[in-house]
Every structure is written in C-alpha cells, then in structure tokens.
Amino acid sequence: MVDVSHKPIQLREAIAQGEIRLQKSTLELISSNAIAKGNVLATARIAGIMAAKRTGELIPLCHPLPINHCEVNFEIPETSDRIIITASAKIAARTGVEMEALTAISIAALTIYDMCKAVDKSMSITAVHLLSKTKN
C-alpha cells in the first residue's frame, strides 16, 4: 500500500457513473416490481453501498476507509434502453474515495444484471467512469 501518513486529513468526495443497457421490456418489469427476485433498484442500491464500504477488502492494496456517506441513484432515460447509475462517496481521510464510488457503481450494476438475467440475455454493463473527485 502507498504510505499516506504524511498527508493531511481532508474532506474528500468522489462521484462515479456507469450504466447497464437492457431491453425495454426488462425496464418495464423492473418499474412494475415484477422481477422474480424482488425490488431490483432497492436491492442494487443497498448492494452498491455495501460494496463501497468493503472496497478495501475487494481491491488489493486499496486502503480500507471508514466512509462517512455513500449514495447510489438510478435514472432511466426517455429512450428506455438503460439505467444510468450514479454513486457518490464522502470521507474525511488522507486518501481519496474514488475507488469506493467506482466499486458502488460496479456492484450495483452487477446486482441489476444478476436479478434480471433470467428475463434478459442481452444486458451489458458499460461506461463506468469517475465524474469528479474533490478535497477540501
């Protein structure tokens, strides 16, 4: 791991985004809460937050961080062909929190994939990227 002990503790925030592309009929099932495994977006939100909290255990050499706040949100554009996932993570620490936000996106998308794979074989997870990171 990189030694960050010489760095000052600062308030840090990272925002990441990604998407999962799926069929319109799958989105309709998600919206009507008709997926057999349950409420897809609520489950994916919790999975993303849990993953962010455990990022240091999942990624080798990543610092384990006590996150102060994590949020995962979903948007379905008018095209009805995907779910855009946005995650933010905040912390007061010596190192950034971007890996936590990116992990939240990845696991939220994988959870949607898992919950919908029985009805949609064409799903794809794409465009996972960091939107911003700040420190004060």
Side-chain angles (χ1 to χ4, degrees), residues 107-121:
I107 297 302
L110 286 169
T111 299
I112 294 168
Y113 190 102
D114 176 62
M115 294 184 76
C116 299
K117 66 186 179 210
V119 297
D120 192 341
K121 307 295 185 204

Side-chain angles (χ1 to χ4, degrees), residues 11 31 34 38 58 60 72 74 84 96 98 117 119 123 128 131 136:
L11 297 175
S31 296
L58 299 170
V72 177
F74 305 98
I84 299 168
E98 60 269 27
K117 66 186 179 210
V119 297
M123 292 181 291
V128 175
L131 289 176
N136 299 330

Side-chain angles (χ1 to χ4, degrees), residues 47-59 62-65 67 99-100 103:
I49 293 167
M50 289 175 63
K53 291 167 53 174
R54 300 188 71 174
T55 300
E57 296 173 34
L58 299 170
I59 300 174
C62 189
H63 290 88
L65 300 176
I67 296 174
M99 294 309 300
E100 286 70 13
T103 299

Side-chain angles (χ1 to χ4, degrees), residues 13-20 40-49 52 69-77 82-90 100-101 103-109 112 131:
E13 180 178 18
I15 302 172
Q17 192 172 77
E19 61 186 46
I20 181 166
V40 173
L41 298 183
T43 304
R45 177 174 285 115
I46 296 298
I49 293 167
H69 180 74
C70 183
E71 192 171 306
V72 177
N73 293 301
F74 305 98
E75 176 191 346
I76 300 172
R82 68 191 141 192
I83 299 171
I84 299 168
I85 309 164
T86 305
S88 65
K90 294 180 183 179
E100 286 70 13
T103 299
I105 294 293
S106 300
I107 297 302
I112 294 168
L131 289 176

